[in-house]
Amino acid sequence: MIQLHDLFFEKIISKIEISQAINGIAIQINDDYKRKNPVFLIVLNGAFIFASDIIKKFQGNCEMSFIKVASYEGIKSSGEITTVLGVEPSLEGRSVIIIEDIVDSGNTIEAIIKILEEEEVKDYRVATLFYKPKAYTKEIKIDYIGLEIENDFIVGYGLDYNGLGRNLNDIYKLKNIE
Ligand code: IMP
Ligand code: MG
C-alpha cells in the first residue's frame, strides 16, 4: 500500500501486464500506419509515458504533437473541458492518432475530436492505455485499448492524483475506506 497526499492506494496492475498491453497496441498501430506518416497527438500530461513507449516502437515515419485539456479536479471529473494548450502547427489534412492515458466518461476525448474536426484533419483514431467501459457515456469508437478497468480511480504510469503518482511503474487503485 502507498500514500499520496491524504489517500491510500493498493497495487492492481503490474508493469509486466502494462508492457504486454502496450506491445499489443504497438503491433496494431504499426500494421495500420507504417506507411501513412501519422501524427501522434499526445494528450498531456498523463499520456506522455505511454506515448513514449508507443512511439519508440513505431517503425515508419511519424510526427508528434501535443494538446492539453483539463477536466479532472482531485479524483472526480468536473465535466467541463478547457483547452490549456491547443494544436500547433495545424493538423489539417493529416492522419492523427490520439494518445490518451485513460478514457473515463469520454468528455475529454469528445472535446479533442471536436478540435480535430475543426482543424479538418484527414482522419483520426483513438489509442488509450486504460479504458473504463462502465463510466463511458459517448458513442465515439475507441480504436486501440490497452486494458479495461473497473470504475476505480487509479494512479501510476503517467496517471496522477493531484500531481503525485505519475512516476509509479505499476498501477494502484484508490483503497476503499472501511
Ligand atoms: P474523461 O474526460 O472523463 O474521459 O476523463 C479523462 C481524463 O481524466 C484522463 O485523461 C485523465 O487525465 C483523467 N482521469 C480519468 N480517470 C482517471 C483515473 O482513474 N486516474 C487519474 N486520472 C484519471
Ligand atoms: Mg489525461
Side-chain angles (χ1 to χ4, degrees):
M1 199 170 67
I2 57 158
Q3 180 172 9
L4 301 173
H5 297 296
D6 53 330
L7 298 179
F8 293 93
F9 295 81
E10 60 190 342
K11 193 162 150 179
I12 53 159
I13 302 169
S14 71
K15 51 176 171 272
I16 296 159
E17 287 172 79
I18 297 169
S19 88
Q20 285 168 348
I22 293 173
N23 281 340
I25 294 182
I27 289 167
Q28 293 177 58
I29 291 180
N30 270 313
D31 280 350
D32 296 341
Y33 284 93
K34 212 179 270 174
R35 272 166 288 277
K36 290 190 177 157
N37 189 17
V39 179
F40 288 100
L41 182 63
I42 299 147
V43 184
L44 296 174
N45 295 323
F48 79 103
I49 295 179
F50 169 49
S52 146
D53 291 336
I54 291 290
I55 290 164
K56 282 186 285 183
K57 292 173 198 288
F58 189 70
Q59 288 161 351
N61 288 332
C62 66
E63 292 172 46
M64 288 176 231
S65 185
F66 300 88
I67 189 167
K68 185 168 182 176
V69 295
S71 77
Y72 252 63
E73 275 172 32
I75 60 167
K76 283 202 188 75
S77 177
S78 70
E80 208 171 293
I81 310 291
T82 51
T83 307
V84 182
L85 172 74
V87 281
E88 174 72 33
S90 169
L91 298 177
E92 189 180 340
R94 301 301 304 271
S95 288
V96 178
I97 308 166
I98 302 164
I99 305 287
E100 251 293 24
D101 49 3
I102 188 162
V103 174
D104 185 345
S105 68
N107 290 333
T108 304
I109 213 71
E110 183 182 62
I112 290 169
I113 284 169
K114 201 181 277 173
I115 293 168
L116 294 186
E117 283 171 350
E118 281 162 12
E119 284 273 308
E120 299 185 348
V121 300
K122 181 167 172 232
D123 49 53
Y124 59 79
R125 282 192 184 173
V126 181
T128 187
L129 181 52
F130 299 104
Y131 174 53
K132 298 184 191 172
K134 290 178 188 157
Y136 193 60
T137 60
K138 310 293 175 187
E139 300 292 314
I140 300 156
K141 185 179 173 214
I142 310 299
D143 303 279
Y144 308 102
I145 295 169
L147 294 161
E148 291 193 358
I149 61 163
E150 290 296 315
N151 272 355
D152 296 314
F153 182 79
I154 60 169
V155 295
Y157 221 86
L159 291 154
D160 72 307
Y161 165 50
N162 280 349
L164 296 183
R166 296 193 197 277
N167 58 317
L168 298 166
N169 286 221
D170 304 291
I171 294 296
Y172 295 76
K173 76 163 187 179
L174 182 61
K175 238 176 115 61
N176 295 321
I177 305 141
E178 272 106 49

